[in-house]
Amino acid sequence: MTVLQDLAQQGITVICSIHQPSSEISAMFQNLILLCEGQTVYAGNAKTSLEYFNKVTAAHNLSPAPVDSNPVDIYMKWMYVGSEISKAHTDRIAILKAAWKNQIELQISNNSDSKLEIIQYDVSHSDK
């Protein structure tokens, strides 16, 4: 991970997908993109992500992340999609998706003169 950090500090863009990083590894992230069911629920500064999620959960009377927990563990728990999840869990996922969509729409409306665009890419791989 430190090699990737060194590359980033040299101005090289580094994008990686890491499944269940430890708190030590996740603390090294500068930016974070979180997806749930193929939809973005957060994209931004990794250090402020927990603050964002706690504001969203507080606004909807949901329990916040436990103090002193690894944020990545919390995100994985909150965004888990499986066959045996409760309606409350499904509702939380819907709230997180809607909150991020609203956040983006607000940014766009506040920057109507900017060239900010939301583009959906079809990423398909060919076996040619």
Side-chain angles (χ1 to χ4, degrees), residues 6-125:
D6 291 343
L7 290 172
Q9 289 173 351
Q10 294 172 31
I12 298 170
T13 300
V14 176
I15 299 173
C16 59
S17 173
I18 300 178
H19 181 68
Q20 292 183 304
S22 67
S23 57
E24 292 84 14
I25 295 294
S26 61
M28 295 176 167
F29 297 159
Q30 294 175 352
N31 294 298
L32 185 63
I33 299 174
L34 297 173
L35 304 173
C36 183
E37 297 181 316
Q39 294 181 19
T40 304
V41 293
Y42 182 81
N45 185 314
K47 305 286 186 253
T48 60
S49 60
L50 189 59
E51 177 184 346
Y52 167 80
F53 283 110
N54 280 336
K55 284 180 182 178
V56 170
T57 56
H60 296 289
N61 296 318
L62 301 171
S63 56
V67 178
D68 296 328
S69 58
N70 178 359
V72 176
D73 290 341
I74 298 302
Y75 305 152
M76 290 186 65
K77 179 180 176 185
W78 284 353
M79 293 170 217
Y80 170 76
V81 178
S83 60
E84 297 180 18
I85 58 174
S86 67
K87 176 160 176 9
H89 187 82
T90 302
D91 290 347
R92 180 186 289 268
I93 290 172
I95 288 167
L96 295 176
K97 289 179 187 178
W100 185 253
K101 183 179 181 217
N102 291 341
Q103 177 80 11
I104 294 300
E105 289 172 353
L106 180 63
Q107 288 177 10
I108 290 171
S109 67
N110 288 340
N111 297 309
S112 59
D113 294 335
S114 72
K115 297 190 183 226
L116 179 64
E117 294 181 55
I118 298 177
I119 302 171
Q120 181 174 348
Y121 292 97
D122 177 20
V123 181
S124 56
H125 298 284

